[in-house]
Amino acid sequence: MTPLKAAIGDAIAAAYAVAGLRVRAAGCRVLMYHAIGGAVAGDTQQLYSLAPDLFARHVGMLKRHAVVSLSEGVARGEGLAVTFDDGYRDNLTVAAPLLVEADVPFTVFVVPTFVESGEPQYLSRSEVVSLSRLPGVTIGAHGYSHARLTACDDGALARELADSRAWLEDLLSTPVTTMSYPHGAVDDRVAAAAAAAGFTIAACSRFGSHRTGGDCYRVPRTDIWSFDGARRLQRKIAGRWDWMAWR
Ligand SMILES: [Zn+2]
C-alpha cells in the first residue's frame, strides 16, 4: 500500500458507498495499529508507524465511538476495538497516555523474543508489566518469535503458541487468552492449534468485522496505515474499506 494506491482506494470506498454495496458495518470492528512514532524494522513502505500528532487526532475520533475491549467486542459482536501488534515501546510512552486519558481500552500483542532482544524500539519486560497495569489495557500473545505460523511444522507451531502464552502469563501472573497471528498468517491447522493452546480469541489481518457467531479464531481486523487521516479512519471504521478483504 502506498499513498497513491490509498487514494485510489478512497475512490473505491466512495464508489461502494454510492452504490450502497458496502456498508455492512454491523459487527465488532477491530483496528490494527503498530508503532506510534518509533521505527518499524522491515517496514519498507513506511506504513506502520503513525506520527504522534496524527495518532492524537485518531484518538480524538475514537473517543466519539463506543470503544470496547477486544474480548467484549467479540463476545457482543458489536462495538469498536483497538489493537497494537508487536509490542513497540511507543505504545506505552506515546499511545497509552492518550488512550487512557480518553478512556479508550486497547490490546497490545507482545512478542517475547522482541522483548528479550533489548532493541530500543520494543517494550522491555518491566515496560510490558507497566503497560498491563494501566486501566483498560489487555496484553495478548503474538507468537513466541513472530514466526509465520502457517510455515511452522506441527511441533514448532505448538511451541510458538504455548511458549508465547506461558512466557506472558509468567511475566504478568494473569491468564492470557487473546492473540493475533504474526504476519496475519492463519489457516485451518493454525486456527485449531491456537484453540488447542488455550486461546479463546485470535485476530487475523483480513479486513472486515466480527459478527455474533463468527469465527473467534479469525477475528477480522482493519489495518491502519501511517498516512490514514481522520477522514480515511472514519471510512475504515464505517466498513467502506472492507473490499480490501477481496483484493
Ligand atoms: Zn507482527
Side-chain angles (χ1 to χ4, degrees):
M1 185 55 60
T2 63
L4 176 60
K5 286 183 187 165
I8 296 167
D10 285 332
I12 297 171
Y16 267 55
V18 169
L21 291 173
R22 46 89 185 160
V23 184
R24 303 208 39 197
C28 174
R29 167 114 4 223
V30 184
L31 305 182
M32 175 174 62
Y33 288 92
H34 287 77
I36 307 300
V40 174
D43 184 19
T44 51
Q45 295 184 307
Q46 302 195 314
L47 281 180
Y48 290 119
S49 182
L50 260 74
D53 62 336
L54 176 57
F55 184 71
R57 292 210 297 281
H58 281 210
V59 174
M61 282 195 59
L62 295 174
K63 269 200 292 198
R64 300 205 289 271
H65 291 268
V67 181
V68 294
S69 69
L70 176 62
S71 55
E72 187 182 346
V74 169
R76 287 170 36 192
E78 63 179 24
L80 179 65
V82 175
T83 67
F84 294 83
D85 276 8
D86 300 340
Y88 294 97
R89 172 170 280 143
D90 57 44
N91 293 178
L92 172 67
T93 58
V94 181
L98 294 166
L99 291 165
V100 170
E101 166 75 21
D103 218 10
V104 172
F106 61 102
T107 297
V108 179
F109 296 110
V110 172
V111 180
T113 59
F114 289 179
V115 174
E116 302 283 14
S117 74
E119 298 277 347
Q121 71 264 40
Y122 297 115
L123 295 160
S124 68
R125 290 174 71 98
S126 63
E127 288 167 340
V128 175
V129 173
S130 298
L131 188 58
S132 75
R133 289 179 179 156
L134 296 176
V137 173
T138 303
I139 303 294
H142 192 48
Y144 188 79
S145 71
H146 207 257
R148 188 177 289 273
L149 298 178
T150 49
C152 292
D153 65 29
D154 290 350
L157 170 60
R159 281 194 301 279
E160 279 286 333
L161 294 166
D163 291 356
S164 67
R165 189 159 168 245
W167 189 94
L168 284 169
E169 291 188 341
D170 182 53
L171 180 68
L172 303 172
S173 302
T174 186
V176 172
T177 56
T178 63
M179 64 168 285
S180 66
Y181 299 106
H183 313 280
V186 57
D187 56 20
D188 290 346
R189 182 183 66 113
V190 169
F199 293 101
T200 58
I201 292 173
C204 60
S205 306
R206 186 181 172 92
F207 276 65
S209 60
H210 177 85
R211 295 177 183 81
T212 306
D215 185 352
C216 290
Y217 294 93
R218 281 187 181 80
V219 173
R221 288 191 296 172
T222 301
D223 203 3
I224 304 298
W225 304 313
S226 59
F227 43 78
D228 285 350
R231 201 166 153 177
R232 188 177 300 123
L233 175 63
Q234 186 56 51
R235 285 174 170 165
K236 284 184 168 180
I237 290 171
R240 286 165 61 177
W241 273 77
D242 284 356
W243 56 270
M244 285 284 288
W246 311 106
R247 75 196 189 281

